[in-house]
Amino acid sequence: MRIISVVITCLVLISCSKKEDKILPKETHLVESVYSSVTIQPDSLYQVYAIVSGILDQNLVTEGDIIKKDTPILKIINNTPILNTQNAKLALDLALENYSGSTTVLNGLKDDIETATLRYKNDSINFYRQKNLWNQKIGSKVEYDTKKLNFEISANNLKTLKNNYSRTKNELITAFKQAQNNYQTSLINTKDFTIKSKINGKIYALYKEPGEIVTTMEPLASIGSANNFIIELLVDEVDIVRISENQEVIITLDAYNDDVFKGRVSKIYPKKDNRNQTFKIEAIFNKAPKILYPGLSGEANIIIAKKDNVLAIPKTYLIDNNKVKTDEGVITIETGLQNLELIEVRSGITKNTYIYKPEND
């Protein structure tokens, strides 16, 4: 009798457990969202670089300083641009002297042109005089040919000198302008020995100590907004098409335990990061925490849609993503919004239809 009693008890328990797996769909408020990891960064954050190589002479600020735009932050020692500037000034002075000085090449060419012009006029007079005599049958053919040849040589020589003058003048002007540009460029380089901030903000990092070598390829400092922070989110490529600007974002930060903050999507970067197959999204706080630091991490849910009075069932009761087991057998349903636990039922069953949890669950 004891064995029969135990068996009966087990059957009752099994029967009860199966009854517990039967539920009715319920109407509820349903929110669908996209999950993302979160990193906090200052707004307008940028890396500071030098455009000249050298040695860091002095950090003019310290990490954590609040600075204004154009505040000097770093001083670099580099003698090369100074020497280049001096050489560029010498080249500019020489180019200017060659172009407009009292002993320029152009003045010499002018003198040659004046001499050639006088010779051309003289040879022209002699030629036409001899030509008139030759037309009157006076003089010899040799004298006529000689005067004609001298005239033609003088004309060609004058033309060549004038062309040389124009070409030389253009070359000297070009050389002067190039020397002028090189000098201006070298002056710009000398001004970059002291690096200034491009924004009003805060010094978040200094990467070099005085005496260390500075190159144009390595960042020297990190500067960003002191008070305004942005929320960087990484969204999977499967979900990116569902994201749009101004969508609501629910944020939790590890540094603030269970506090929940709200924000909105402010920017969507169109390029995918092929390393992790994600897209970068930026959001801003509706009301930011009182204290924030770069690099704070957390989690976020980007709200895709909200609905009230939605007929929903637990996802665990689904079969093949769009079917449920009922008293009438397995029925196909039309689904809609969903979150981690619930999914909307648009058609196929009603709030009075009992559904059963699949046996393999």
Side-chain angles (χ1 to χ4, degrees), residues 113-126 128 150-156 158:
I113 289 173
E114 290 178 1
T115 301
T117 301
L118 292 175
R119 182 172 295 173
Y120 168 76
K121 289 180 179 179
N122 184 61
D123 289 340
S124 175
I125 292 171
N126 291 335
Y128 284 107
N150 289 338
F151 169 67
E152 291 174 347
I153 291 173
S154 296
N156 289 333
L158 179 60

Side-chain angles (χ1 to χ4, degrees), residues 132-308:
N132 290 333
L133 291 174
W134 178 250
N135 291 336
Q136 299 173 28
K137 307 301 183 183
I138 300 173
S140 65
K141 184 71 166 57
V142 173
E143 288 178 321
Y144 172 76
D145 289 341
T146 301
K147 295 293 191 295
K148 181 180 179 182
L149 179 61
N150 289 338
F151 169 67
E152 291 174 347
I153 291 173
S154 296
N156 289 333
N157 185 48
L158 179 60
K159 182 179 179 180
T160 300
L161 287 172
K162 287 182 177 180
N163 288 337
N164 286 342
Y165 178 84
S166 297
R167 184 180 68 254
T168 302
K169 183 178 180 180
N170 289 334
E171 290 175 351
L172 291 173
I173 291 175
T174 300
F176 171 70
K177 289 182 178 179
Q178 288 177 339
Q180 205 170 30
N181 290 338
N182 291 337
Y183 178 61
Q184 293 297 328
T185 300
S186 65
L187 283 178
I188 292 173
N189 288 338
T190 59
K191 292 177 182 178
D192 285 326
F193 291 159
T194 299
I195 301 175
K196 299 179 180 180
S197 174
K198 301 297 183 184
I199 62 171
N200 296 330
K202 185 176 184 178
I203 302 295
Y204 284 100
L206 296 171
Y207 301 121
K208 294 285 186 178
E209 295 295 333
E212 291 190 85
I213 295 175
V214 171
T215 70
T216 58
M217 304 299 293
E218 297 178 299
L220 303 179
S222 179
I223 300 176
S225 173
N227 301 312
N228 298 323
F229 288 81
I230 59 173
I231 310 158
E232 290 187 357
L233 307 99
L234 297 179
V235 175
D236 189 272
E237 64 176 331
V238 176
D239 297 316
I240 188 61
V241 295
R242 308 166 71 195
I243 307 299
S244 60
E245 291 188 9
N246 293 317
Q247 285 179 332
E248 184 180 1
V249 183
I250 308 299
I251 308 115
T252 58
L253 298 175
D254 296 340
Y256 281 89
N257 297 321
D258 297 328
D259 291 345
V260 177
F261 305 95
K262 292 184 178 181
R264 62 178 179 84
V265 175
S266 58
K267 186 174 182 179
I268 302 172
Y269 288 84
K271 189 176 185 304
K272 182 176 74 173
D273 188 338
N274 290 320
R275 294 171 299 178
N276 52 25
Q277 302 296 305
T278 60
F279 286 82
K280 181 180 174 182
I281 306 291
E282 285 186 3
I284 56 176
F285 287 103
N286 293 345
K287 183 178 180 181
K290 187 175 181 181
I291 300 174
L292 286 174
Y293 290 96
L296 290 182
S297 61
E299 298 177 332
N301 283 284
I302 304 171
I303 306 302
I304 303 302
K306 294 180 180 180
K307 275 188 179 181
D308 291 323

